[in-house]
Structures are given as structure tokens and as C-alpha cells.
Amino acid sequence: MGKKSAGGGNLPEGSLSTGEERARLVREMFDRIAGRYELLNLIMTAGLNRVWNRGAVRATALRPGGRALDLACGAGALTRDLAKKVGPNGYVLGMDFSAEMLKAAKTRPLPNVEYRLGDATNLEGVESGSFDAATIAYGARNIPNLDTLFAEMARVTRPGGRVVCLEIARPKGRLSATFYGIWFDRVVPWLGAKVSGDAWAYSYLPESVKAFVAPDELAEIMRRNGLQNVTWRPNAGGIVTLHVGTKPG
Ligand SMILES: C[S@@+](CC[C@H](N)C(=O)[O-])C[C@H]1O[C@@H](n2cnc3c(N)ncnc32)[C@H](O)[C@@H]1O
């Protein structure tokens, strides 16, 4: 049996693992849900996404006047937090491959933020070493080629700068795993379908988490792509993980 697709048809089994087709489906899905994305995020995390984003900003070690690249920036939640951190003399570039998500981001413009349409795995045109930090929040799990992603993030970060990845994970503890099972596998798809009108998008969410690499493996991918001192820590009992690496000086 295939999975229900956005258009009501069936997706062939395993389609989430194929590169270009998966990228197209993901992009179209985010285009469709862009208008409701941030509201749903806030509801589904009970506002904790703001706390997790603040942790990601701290992990960048950015200072006022710094430069950050926020990949898969979506409607700009983390981008805006980074912009606040670097202040008026700093600069943040938010990049996403969904035009509709960027349109949503641009409804809340900031003078030190620029948004650009682009693929996180191909940062052609972004100068090597030109950012103090590169971030990705809830984007990595949508990207099939994690080696290319982190190699590019490491390339555009200056020596001594940070690469930060915030992502949803499957918790190990019994209590968090039970909560996760009820919340992500049942409530999220139901609530997401109701509020966004897109059942497939919010069934894809738990599926993409299940298909994603384990936190230790993600750390290893970061290391083998040019980052050092890679560490990760769980948030909210392991439902979200924060990975941080440093570009060697
Ligand atoms: C779950 S949203 C996260 C948005 C935002 N970072 C946040 O924290 O709210 C994932 C985003 O990743 C983007 N995305 C997925 N794959 C991408 C890729 N290869 N290049 C650029 N953006 C991508 C999607 O368009 C979507 O906006």
C-alpha cells in the first residue's frame, strides 16, 4: 500500500528516500502549508520552539555585529532570533527552497535580514568562510544528502565559527517515548490536518523523524564533513536535539 499524497493520491512506498522526487514533494508541501506553519509550530510545541530556538542562538556564540546564515529558514522564526542577537550592525541571510515559506518570512522584515531562495545543499554564490555561524532548524531531516549539507555549512563558516543544527528526534526514555508516540504519531497528524488542511504534510512530519539518522550518527556526519568539537544535547527529554560543531581554526 502506498501513502496518501498531498493531492489525495498515493505516494509509492519508499518515495521519501529518493532524492529529487522527495525534494520536490517537500518543497511543494511547505509551499502549501506556509501560511499556517508558524502558528501550527507554536501550538504543537506549546511555545517550546521559542525556548529551543534561543538555545540554538546561544550555541552559535554570535556577537553583536556578527554574520549568520540560516538554512531552511522557512517563515524565519530562528532567522529573526539570530537577527536580534547580531543587532543592527550584524547581518543574517535566511535561505529556503520554498518560495511560499520565504513569502511568509518577508511579512516580518528586519533591516539586518535578507532572504534568498536557494537549496541548502548547494550554496554556490555564498563565499567560503563568510559567516560566523551557519544554522539549520528542523530542516536537516528533510534533506537526503546530509554529507553535502554539512560540508557546505562548514565551507561557508569562518575558521572558529559554529555550525548548529536543531532537529526533532525520537526520544529514548520510556516516559518521553510514550508522550512522543501519542503526540507525534496521533495528535500532530490530526491537528495538522485540521489547521493546515493538508493531511499529508502532517503525516510526513513523524515519518521524516522516524527515517532520520540517530543523534550520534548526525554528530559523526558533522565530524566527517570538516567540523570539530561536535557535541549534541537533548531538549525536552530527547524530542529535540541540538548539535553544535566548530570549524577548525
Ligand atoms: C520544518 S521547516 C523549518 C523552518 C524553520 N527553520 C523553522 O525553524 O521554523 C523546514 C524548511 O526546510 C525547507 N527545506 C527543506 N529542504 C530544503 C533544501 N534542500 N534547501 C532549502 N530549504 C529546504 C522547507 O522549505 C521548509 O521551509
Side-chain angles (χ1 to χ4, degrees), residues 26-27 30 37-38 41 53 70-78 95-98 101 118-121 136-139 141-143:
V26 168
R27 191 174 55 245
F30 281 108
Y37 172 79
E38 287 210 338
N41 233 6
N53 279 1
D70 185 27
L71 292 174
C73 65
L78 179 61
M95 200 183 269
D96 201 285
F97 72 0
S98 156
M101 289 295 264
D119 191 318
T121 56
I136 185 160
Y138 316 114
R141 132 186 80 79
N142 300 296
I143 295 176

Side-chain angles (χ1 to χ4, degrees), residues 83-242:
K84 206 189 273 179
K85 181 74 183 177
V86 298
N89 297 322
Y91 169 77
V92 185
L93 175 62
M95 200 183 269
D96 201 285
F97 72 0
S98 156
E100 291 301 316
M101 289 295 264
L102 287 183
K103 208 197 254 179
K106 286 175 187 170
T107 60
R108 299 171 76 175
L110 288 170
N112 57 351
V113 173
E114 196 186 331
Y115 288 106
R116 193 181 294 172
L117 191 68
D119 191 318
T121 56
N122 180 1
L123 302 180
E124 242 174 58
V126 180
E127 208 181 311
S128 299
S130 57
F131 286 94
D132 299 302
T135 57
I136 185 160
Y138 316 114
R141 132 186 80 79
N142 300 296
I143 295 176
N145 194 339
L146 292 172
D147 281 301
T148 311
L149 171 70
F150 285 104
E152 278 291 77
M153 290 179 87
R155 179 183 69 76
V156 300
T157 302
R158 68 160 169 80
R162 300 267 176 95
V163 169
V164 173
C165 175
L166 193 60
E167 194 47 271
I168 307 171
R170 288 189 77 77
K172 289 259 181 289
R174 238 174 65 195
L175 200 66
S176 340
T178 306
F179 167 78
Y180 178 94
I182 296 167
W183 190 251
F184 271 92
D185 290 340
R186 290 164 197 257
V187 180
V188 163
W190 176 82
L191 191 65
K194 284 263 174 254
V195 179
S196 74
D198 196 315
W200 188 76
Y202 286 88
S203 308
Y204 163 81
L205 196 157
E207 266 189 55
S208 63
V209 177
K210 278 177 209 158
F212 194 52
V213 294
D216 281 334
E217 198 179 337
L218 185 61
E220 187 45 41
I221 292 171
M222 291 173 73
R223 282 183 202 108
R224 73 175 180 237
N225 285 288
L227 295 164
Q228 67 183 21
N229 302 328
V230 177
T231 58
W232 69 271
R233 67 175 161 85
N235 287 309
I239 288 170
V240 165
T241 53
L242 179 69

